[in-house]
């Protein structure tokens, strides 16, 4: 399902014109299609319908409660990386038994919270972490269900800033250390080894790195089971790429065929942690043109959204397609333009030489594939109004997070008493 299409000359999310939303909530704003999220999840669920498999949505991609709830209501679990994300998943209505907790730096408080809630699995990345979990579980009189995150030493061939499965990356435990560590875990009080986890990176659009990493992970899983540790769950992570420009994402069916081929008759529960693929193409960022200007031989389209709202272009040179909300006529004159934000940083550029009509102040544009790692990575840099977030479902829409004006951003700041004397 395509979340954003032109209808009667206006770009719409499902049945709601984006202009209607922008007029109601202002810009910049993020708009998400609930239908597109459900359709993505359903494609994966259908592809694995003949095996026990749980899709734990990586809530880091978009952690709005309404987004988590949309996916939870459609059968997803949650993959979390902090106590805060566990709180969000619970607040969105997920049962603890469908939440996995990953991350290389779990604090004692977070471990205690996760265990007290009774979450499904903690993904462990180091020996010191395993020992802390053991101690805290004993203190609570419980046993922690754990999976080691294995570093399969596979280069996912993706942007180096989002690659995680090479041996020099900070994630996971070395493949060669795994058998001994499972042996140790099985003998520790307060620890129940239940699974094996791996995740090699993000925005991966070819099947080979997955296949290579999964092959290694499955061989290790077999070896550990054969060694007497009764693992029952294989957590194969996320990382499934989406279309930003002209990528060809792996289809859920092709992916499932590959995984099922590798698993043959093995009896185990599968967990996946898809983030981006469930929400990226379901979301866009709507912005308004403030000015158009020409200088240094270039034409700039200056918007009210910048790297404060969507940092991916500045951080990863990411490409997001930009479309005017008013559909340009087939014969429209398009000009190359540098599309930029208002932030006082030269890196605040969404894209150079984008061919667009000569838009005027007040005209609106949408950046596509912005539903993942957009709003969650926003900041208050330069103290501008933050982007509201809106969820569309058919012909309904609702603000799921209001934009925060600068006054609200500094409302809880404190001027210490010794600075109280009047400024003159
Ligand atoms: N599981 C683990 C252990 C992860 O580290 C991640 C993402 C995921 C699952 C979900 O990956 P996904 O299916 O969304 O690719 N901010 C970057 C992406 C960082 C991804 C971090 N880990 C971006 O905007 O491209």
């Amino acid at each position: 399902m395509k979340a954003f299409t032109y209808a009667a000359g206006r770009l719409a999310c499902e049945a709601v014109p984006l202009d209607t939303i922008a007029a109601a909530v202002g810009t910049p704003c993020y708009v998400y299609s609930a239908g597109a999220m459900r359709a993505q999840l359903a494609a994966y669920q259908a592809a694995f319908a003949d095996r026990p498999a749980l899709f734990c949505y990586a809530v880091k991609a978009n952690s709005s409660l309404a987004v988590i709830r949309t996916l939870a209501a459609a059968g997803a679990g949650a993959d979390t990386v902090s106590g805060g994300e566990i709180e969000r998943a619970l607040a969105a209505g997920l049962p603890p038994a469908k939440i996995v907790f990953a991350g290389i730096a779990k604090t004692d408080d977070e471990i205690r919270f996760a265990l007290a809630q009774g979450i499904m699995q903690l993904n462990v990345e180091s020996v010191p972490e395993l020992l802390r979990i053991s101690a805290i579980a004993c203190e609570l009189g419980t046993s922690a269900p754990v999976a080691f995150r294995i570093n399969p030493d596979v280069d996912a061939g993706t942007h180096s800033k989002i690659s995680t499965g090479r041996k020099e990356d900070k994630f996971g435990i070395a493949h060669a250390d795994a058998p001994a560590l499972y042996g140790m875990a099985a003998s520790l009080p307060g620890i129940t080894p239940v699974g094996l986890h791996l995740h090699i990176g993000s925005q991966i659009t070819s099947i080979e790195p997955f296949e290579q990493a999964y092959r290694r992970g499955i061989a290790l899983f077999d070896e550990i089971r054969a060694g007497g540790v009764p693992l029952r769950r294989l957590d194969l992570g996320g990382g499934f790429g989406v279309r930003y420009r002209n990528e060809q994402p792996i289809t859920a069916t092709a992916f499932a065929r590959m995984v099922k081929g590798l698993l043959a008759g093995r009896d185990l529960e599968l967990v996946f942690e898809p983030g981006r693929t469930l929400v990226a193409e379901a979301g866009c960022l709507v912005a308004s043109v403030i000015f158009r200007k020409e200088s240094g031989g270039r034409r700039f389209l200056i918007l009210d959204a910048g790297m404060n709202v969507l940092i991916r272009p500045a951080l990863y040179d990411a490409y997001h397609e930009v479309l005017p909300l008013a559909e340009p006529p087939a014969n429209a004159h398009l000009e190359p333009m540098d599309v930029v934000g208002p932030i006082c940083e030269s890196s605040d550029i969404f894209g150079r030489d984008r061919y667009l009509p000569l838009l005027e102040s007040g005209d609106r544009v949408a950046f596509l594939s912005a539903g993942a790692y957009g709003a969650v990575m926003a900041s208050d840099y330069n103290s501008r109004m933050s982007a509201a977030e809106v969820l569309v479902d058919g012909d309904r829409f609702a603000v799921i997070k209001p934009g925060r004006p600068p006054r609200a951003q500094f409302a809880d700041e404190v001027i210490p008493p010794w600075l109280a004397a009047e400024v003159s």
Side-chain angles (χ1 to χ4, degrees):
M1 171 182 171
K2 260 189 112 178
F4 303 99
T5 48
Y6 284 109
R10 302 168 78 192
L11 192 60
C13 178
E14 302 194 26
V16 185
L18 291 175
D19 273 324
T20 307
I21 295 173
V25 308
T27 59
C29 66
Y30 278 98
V31 180
Y32 311 125
S33 153
M37 291 178 193
R38 287 189 204 108
Q40 274 300 97
L41 176 61
Y44 282 95
Q45 289 168 329
F48 283 94
D50 54 348
R51 272 197 160 265
L54 180 64
F55 292 88
C56 287
Y57 166 55
V59 307
K60 65 170 82 65
N62 185 325
S63 54
S64 295
L65 297 188
V67 169
I68 303 175
R69 193 174 181 90
T70 299
L71 291 165
D79 163 41
T80 62
V81 291
S82 67
E85 283 193 352
I86 299 176
E87 284 187 64
R88 280 186 173 274
L90 294 170
L94 267 163
K98 289 176 101 174
I99 300 177
V100 298
F101 180 26
I104 59 166
K106 301 179 188 74
T107 64
D108 287 4
D109 284 347
E110 290 177 314
I111 294 169
R112 197 168 287 116
F113 178 61
L115 291 177
Q117 294 297 323
I119 66 159
M120 176 169 96
Q121 175 177 301
L122 285 86
N123 292 342
V124 178
E125 306 220 11
S126 67
V127 173
E129 181 190 340
L130 181 71
L131 297 176
R132 288 307 300 151
I133 295 174
S134 163
I136 294 168
C138 289
E139 196 184 294
L140 295 175
T142 184
S143 190
V146 304
F148 279 107
R149 174 170 177 179
I150 306 303
N151 183 326
D153 192 18
V154 166
D155 189 343
T158 184
H159 192 286
S160 72
K161 283 191 181 154
I162 53 175
S163 209
T164 59
R166 302 162 300 186
K167 66 177 184 310
E168 65 271 25
D169 291 322
K170 70 179 178 183
F171 301 99
I173 60 162
H175 194 274
D177 298 340
L181 287 182
Y182 272 99
M184 172 184 173
S187 66
L188 275 177
I191 297 286
T192 309
V194 293
L196 186 143
H197 172 228
L198 57 86
H199 171 83
I200 54 172
S202 203
Q203 184 54 14
I204 302 167
T205 48
S206 78
I207 208 156
E208 289 75 25
F210 285 120
E211 188 165 354
Q212 207 186 336
Y214 291 178
R215 215 179 268 287
R216 289 189 189 165
I218 293 165
L220 195 53
F221 189 88
D222 287 346
E223 183 185 336
I224 288 156
R225 264 187 174 179
V229 183
L231 301 184
R232 61 171 188 274
R233 194 177 293 139
L234 186 58
D235 178 344
L236 293 175
F240 318 123
V242 303
R243 193 174 294 106
Y244 287 103
R245 192 173 199 165
N246 45 20
E247 300 90 337
Q248 286 296 327
I250 307 162
T251 63
T253 342
F255 177 74
R257 197 180 316 120
M258 179 273 285
V259 174
K260 288 184 212 171
L262 294 179
L263 289 175
R266 287 177 185 77
D267 173 30
L268 47 79
E269 291 166 32
L270 283 174
V271 168
F272 294 97
E273 303 171 348
R276 189 189 314 261
T277 191
L278 298 184
V279 293
E281 292 181 56
C284 79
L285 168 65
V286 180
S288 298
V289 176
I290 303 291
F291 300 117
R292 207 180 67 216
K293 83 166 191 182
E294 274 158 53
S295 83
R298 306 205 60 93
R299 179 171 276 136
F300 294 97
L301 192 66
I302 307 172
L303 306 177
D304 61 357
M307 63 192 288
N308 55 325
V309 179
L310 178 63
I311 200 174
R312 302 193 69 259
L315 195 54
Y316 316 114
D317 294 319
Y319 182 94
H320 287 268
E321 188 178 350
V322 53
L323 292 180
L325 295 205
E327 185 173 21
N331 61 351
H333 175 68
L334 306 180
E335 287 275 341
M337 272 178 243
D338 292 349
V339 182
V340 305
I343 300 300
C344 300
E345 295 267 349
S346 332
S347 55
D348 187 26
I349 299 181
F350 286 114
R352 293 211 182 261
D353 288 327
R354 299 298 184 90
Y355 279 79
L356 290 165
L358 287 172
L359 300 170
E360 303 294 343
S361 299
D363 287 343
R364 298 183 183 118
V365 296
F367 290 95
L368 301 188
S369 300
Y373 306 110
V376 279
M377 293 180 78
S379 75
D380 290 338
Y381 186 40
N382 278 202
S383 294
R384 308 181 68 88
M385 179 81 180
S386 75
E389 293 176 71
V390 172
L391 186 70
V392 173
D393 196 351
D395 59 2
R396 296 175 290 190
F397 74 92
V399 175
I400 58 173
K401 186 172 176 185
R404 285 193 329 147
R407 181 162 295 281
Q409 295 164 13
F410 64 72
D412 55 359
E413 292 183 23
V414 175
I415 295 175
W418 67 85
L419 290 175
E422 228 172 275
V423 176
S424 56

